[in-house]
Amino acid sequence: MERYSIRKERQREDTVVEYERMSWDALRKSINGLMNKVNAINIKNVIPELFGENLIRGRGLFCRSVMKSQMASPIFTDVFAALVSVVNSKIPVIGDLLLRRLILQLKKPANKPQLLASVKFIAHLVNQQVVHELIALQLLTVFLEEPTDDSVEVAISFVTECGSILQDLCPLGLHAIFERFTGILHEGEIDKRVQFLIENLFALRKAKFQGYPDIRPELDLVEQEDQLTHEISLSDKVDSEIDLDVFKPDPNFAENEKKYEELKKMILGEESEKEEDSDAESDEEENEEQVEIKDETETNLINLRRTIYQTIMSSVDFEEAGHKLLKIKLEPGQEMELCIMLLECCSQERTYLRYYGHLGQRFCMINKVYQENFDKCFVQQYSMIHRLETNKLRNVAKFFAQLLATDALPWHVLAYIRLTEEDTTSSSRIFIKILFQELAEHLGVRLLNERLNNPTMQQPFESILPTDKPKNTRFAINFFTSIGLGGITENLRGYLKNMSRLLM
């Protein structure tokens, strides 16, 4: 009997722990979902949903999610800062934890984009008065103490974002920072580009930081007397409490859940009741507002692009990415956004990843609309190829080569390329070179030659293999021979010989 009761007790404990784990996973997914969808327009609707989750238990998850989302989408930094400001006014321990983690993140080695994103977040938290302005001055002092091109550029970005509020709260401290900028200019040891950035910052200060307000009106959500400001010295040893991000069984789980329910009622209280009462009365008004939002702003479009970007970058393989992307509800005409984001992500990689080509191929096979949109993308990219860096140019060329080699993209798109000395630039010739070398690698020179000399496709390929003038024909022959694909110019050579005989 004793063994039976012990076994029964263990089973009960395992069941409780399993329930707690499921509750933890649901909490994590819910917080991540809310972080992914929040923007300046829906933030007032997201806040009650966020407080509906146990933020005391999930404070580590919240801080981790908001930092990760801000790093992925720096353009929404002021939105995330406003959200943190509201949460901090009700649960200050979360604001304190987030500040500690941001300071520790700054102390770790990081590349410039990561550093710029981190200081931008702190700048907007200063604007929201979640972080004390003295921390901003300490950070600027550290960046400018031993100036390098990168550290000065980060400091300039930081002052640009929160200079307006620093001018009001501590003008003497900001004046000292600008004196240091003046000293760096006089020393003349930094790059010319960074010197111009400093001069632009002085002009911005003279204009009283016009165009860079401390808080946008729609994100000013907390009354000044309700706000709690945190101050931690950069030299202090701080604990990030990383263990809060990991599930641990709570012996007082039920009791703590009840306590949070009471806290939630205190936080939301009358506001949630008012919202429920007014929902039925203002349905038509809300619908009208939504129509106006779609017509007058691009916020929904930005959110869509952010969702597509995060889905592409977080997926393990192209099959998972394709499955997730197909679940995104696209309005008619928004398919082009997916094609543009896919091409943009591909071009940003250091080396070409076939992952993007496979993903583009899948969408072209699923729906002809994507095929037409990639056709338009090809035209757009080729028309602005001179603006792309060599690495981006190479990735874009290999992406379209993979689509062409797998017949995901019709070959008539090659008609947009006119291979003559007058119609090409150095950039477009590099693009054509990489495109055809990749096609030869995928198909082989013999099969590529058969494709290009297909009688039914002669009209689209006239611009690639020109026969209008001997001069253009010679240029095409010399070009393909120089890139190691002389085998595909046999017909052009025969045509040139016949032409010279006729002329003689």
Side-chain angles (χ1 to χ4, degrees), residues 400-414:
F400 283 114
Q402 189 172 343
L403 293 190
L404 288 167
T406 55
D407 290 321
L409 196 63
W411 282 58
H412 67 72
V413 298
L414 295 178

Side-chain angles (χ1 to χ4, degrees), residues 474-493:
R474 285 193 197 93
F475 181 81
I477 292 170
N478 293 337
F479 176 80
F480 283 116
T481 305
S482 68
I483 65 172
L485 295 176
I488 67 175
T489 62
E490 290 177 2
N491 287 357
L492 280 183
R493 292 173 191 274

Side-chain angles (χ1 to χ4, degrees), residues 130-143:
V130 175
V131 174
H132 201 279
E133 62 273 11
L134 288 178
I135 294 178
L137 296 176
Q138 284 181 16
L139 268 176
L140 289 168
T141 305
V142 170
F143 288 136

Side-chain angles (χ1 to χ4, degrees), residues 486-501:
I488 67 175
T489 62
E490 290 177 2
N491 287 357
L492 280 183
R493 292 173 191 274
Y495 170 80
L496 196 61
K497 284 181 182 179
N498 292 332
M499 180 65 70
S500 60
R501 284 173 187 169

Side-chain angles (χ1 to χ4, degrees), residues 258-269:
K258 284 180 182 177
K259 285 181 180 177
Y260 187 77
E261 282 296 320
E262 293 173 5
L263 177 63
K264 182 173 74 173
K265 288 176 183 176
M266 288 174 61
I267 292 170
L268 300 176

Side-chain angles (χ1 to χ4, degrees), residues 77-88:
T77 300
D78 57 345
V79 177
F80 292 122
L83 187 69
V84 171
S85 175
V86 176
V87 173
N88 179 65

